[in-house]
Amino acid sequence: MGDDFVPHTSDLQPALRIIPMPKDVNWNGDVFGGWLMSHVDLAGSVPAVKRARGRVATVAVNSFIFKQPVSVGDLLSFYADVVKVGHTSITVDVHVFAERNPKHPEVVKVTEAQLTYVAIDSQGNKRDLPPEP
């Protein structure tokens, strides 16, 4: 998924969808960046766990760009796609879109990020990824 990714013209399903609530905002009335970052991490882990066929741990946030503020009531859709696979690691791109203004709906990209996860065993030790199915 590149910068030209448009969710409403894609057959992809979001990894996560959520609506921020009043408890999720800072003193300016915008959603906390940390709240959004935690949900990006959750969304990115969905395809990582699927590819790893088991537990993963976040090892790096390679990039994270806040493009627009997020507001209470925005319906956020998080699209996550594996972009690189190593021996133990999986890199995932996450694109977040907000559907806002129900009377005159618009969809805007609010965040994009790239995270790296590592496959781990039941003791939390790094493990090799299984072969692709």
Side-chain angles (χ1 to χ4, degrees), residues 36 40 64-67 70 94-96 109-113:
L36 191 57
V40 164
F64 205 104
I65 301 169
F66 296 102
K67 295 183 150 302
V70 174
V94 180
H95 298 265
V96 185
K109 188 175 200 177
V110 294
T111 302
E112 59 187 51

Side-chain angles (χ1 to χ4, degrees), residues 57-124:
T58 310
V59 295
V61 177
N62 306 325
S63 66
F64 205 104
I65 301 169
F66 296 102
K67 295 183 150 302
Q68 289 194 28
V70 174
S71 302
V72 169
D74 285 350
L75 173 57
L76 301 179
S77 297
F78 297 71
Y79 294 86
D81 189 42
V82 172
V83 294
K84 182 180 176 188
V85 176
H87 292 288
T88 61
S89 65
I90 303 161
T91 302
V92 178
D93 280 350
V94 180
H95 298 265
V96 185
F97 292 84
E99 295 176 41
R100 41 179 67 146
N101 193 6
K103 289 185 179 181
H104 303 285
E106 68 174 321
V107 176
V108 295
K109 188 175 200 177
V110 294
T111 302
E112 59 187 51
Q114 186 178 82
L115 299 92
T116 300
Y117 302 85
V118 66
I120 58 173
D121 63 19
S122 59
Q123 281 74 48

